[in-house]
mmCIF file of all heavy atoms in Angstrom:
data_model
loop_
_atom_site.group_PDB
_atom_site.id
_atom_site.type_symbol
_atom_site.label_atom_id
_atom_site.label_comp_id
_atom_site.label_asym_id
_atom_site.label_seq_id
_atom_site.Cartn_x
_atom_site.Cartn_y
_atom_site.Cartn_z
ATOM 1 N N SER A 104 -147.473 200.319 226.223
ATOM 2 C CA SER A 104 -146.996 199.647 225.024
ATOM 3 C C SER A 104 -146.353 200.647 224.075
ATOM 4 O O SER A 104 -146.453 201.863 224.257
ATOM 5 C CB SER A 104 -148.173 198.952 224.326
ATOM 6 O OG SER A 104 -147.749 198.301 223.151
ATOM 7 N N ALA A 105 -145.680 200.120 223.057
ATOM 8 C CA ALA A 105 -145.168 200.956 221.974
ATOM 9 C C ALA A 105 -146.342 201.437 221.132
ATOM 10 O O ALA A 105 -147.383 200.773 221.059
ATOM 11 C CB ALA A 105 -144.189 200.155 221.123
ATOM 12 N N PRO A 106 -146.228 202.586 220.490
ATOM 13 C CA PRO A 106 -147.342 203.145 219.712
ATOM 14 C C PRO A 106 -147.740 202.261 218.534
ATOM 15 O O PRO A 106 -146.908 201.568 217.939
ATOM 16 C CB PRO A 106 -146.789 204.484 219.206
ATOM 17 C CG PRO A 106 -145.647 204.799 220.100
ATOM 18 C CD PRO A 106 -145.069 203.485 220.513
ATOM 19 N N ALA A 107 -149.008 202.327 218.191
ATOM 20 C CA ALA A 107 -149.518 201.566 217.054
ATOM 21 C C ALA A 107 -148.804 201.957 215.765
ATOM 22 O O ALA A 107 -148.549 201.108 214.902
ATOM 23 C CB ALA A 107 -151.024 201.780 216.915
ATOM 24 N N ALA A 108 -148.475 203.242 215.633
ATOM 25 C CA ALA A 108 -147.800 203.705 214.411
ATOM 26 C C ALA A 108 -146.436 203.041 214.253
ATOM 27 O O ALA A 108 -146.023 202.702 213.133
ATOM 28 C CB ALA A 108 -147.649 205.223 214.432
ATOM 29 N N LEU A 109 -145.717 202.849 215.351
ATOM 30 C CA LEU A 109 -144.407 202.202 215.291
ATOM 31 C C LEU A 109 -144.559 200.718 214.962
ATOM 32 O O LEU A 109 -143.820 200.174 214.128
ATOM 33 C CB LEU A 109 -143.672 202.385 216.617
ATOM 34 C CG LEU A 109 -142.323 201.683 216.760
ATOM 35 C CD1 LEU A 109 -141.377 202.062 215.634
ATOM 36 C CD2 LEU A 109 -141.697 201.994 218.115
ATOM 37 N N LEU A 110 -145.519 200.058 215.596
ATOM 38 C CA LEU A 110 -145.749 198.643 215.310
ATOM 39 C C LEU A 110 -146.191 198.454 213.865
ATOM 40 O O LEU A 110 -145.816 197.471 213.216
ATOM 41 C CB LEU A 110 -146.794 198.083 216.282
ATOM 42 C CG LEU A 110 -146.421 198.160 217.769
ATOM 43 C CD1 LEU A 110 -147.547 197.599 218.618
ATOM 44 C CD2 LEU A 110 -145.117 197.439 218.050
ATOM 45 N N ASN A 111 -146.979 199.397 213.363
ATOM 46 C CA ASN A 111 -147.410 199.350 211.966
ATOM 47 C C ASN A 111 -146.205 199.442 211.028
ATOM 48 O O ASN A 111 -146.107 198.701 210.039
ATOM 49 C CB ASN A 111 -148.381 200.496 211.694
ATOM 50 C CG ASN A 111 -148.891 200.515 210.268
ATOM 51 O OD1 ASN A 111 -149.567 199.605 209.822
ATOM 52 N ND2 ASN A 111 -148.552 201.570 209.535
ATOM 53 N N ALA A 112 -145.277 200.336 211.349
ATOM 54 C CA ALA A 112 -144.073 200.472 210.532
ATOM 55 C C ALA A 112 -143.270 199.176 210.538
ATOM 56 O O ALA A 112 -142.775 198.731 209.490
ATOM 57 C CB ALA A 112 -143.220 201.632 211.044
ATOM 58 N N LEU A 113 -143.140 198.549 211.690
ATOM 59 C CA LEU A 113 -142.382 197.305 211.777
ATOM 60 C C LEU A 113 -143.083 196.172 211.044
ATOM 61 O O LEU A 113 -142.423 195.249 210.533
ATOM 62 C CB LEU A 113 -142.133 196.941 213.244
ATOM 63 C CG LEU A 113 -141.220 197.901 214.001
ATOM 64 C CD1 LEU A 113 -141.136 197.517 215.472
ATOM 65 C CD2 LEU A 113 -139.828 197.953 213.377
ATOM 66 N N GLU A 114 -144.418 196.218 210.983
ATOM 67 C CA GLU A 114 -145.144 195.226 210.173
ATOM 68 C C GLU A 114 -144.733 195.343 208.707
ATOM 69 O O GLU A 114 -144.428 194.339 208.058
ATOM 70 C CB GLU A 114 -146.652 195.458 210.300
ATOM 71 C CG GLU A 114 -147.234 195.113 211.657
ATOM 72 C CD GLU A 114 -147.553 193.641 211.820
ATOM 73 O OE1 GLU A 114 -147.028 192.813 211.045
ATOM 74 O OE2 GLU A 114 -148.321 193.303 212.724
#
Side-chain angles (χ1 to χ4, degrees):
S104 179
L109 176 55
L110 300 179
N111 181 64
L113 294 175
E114 290 277 18

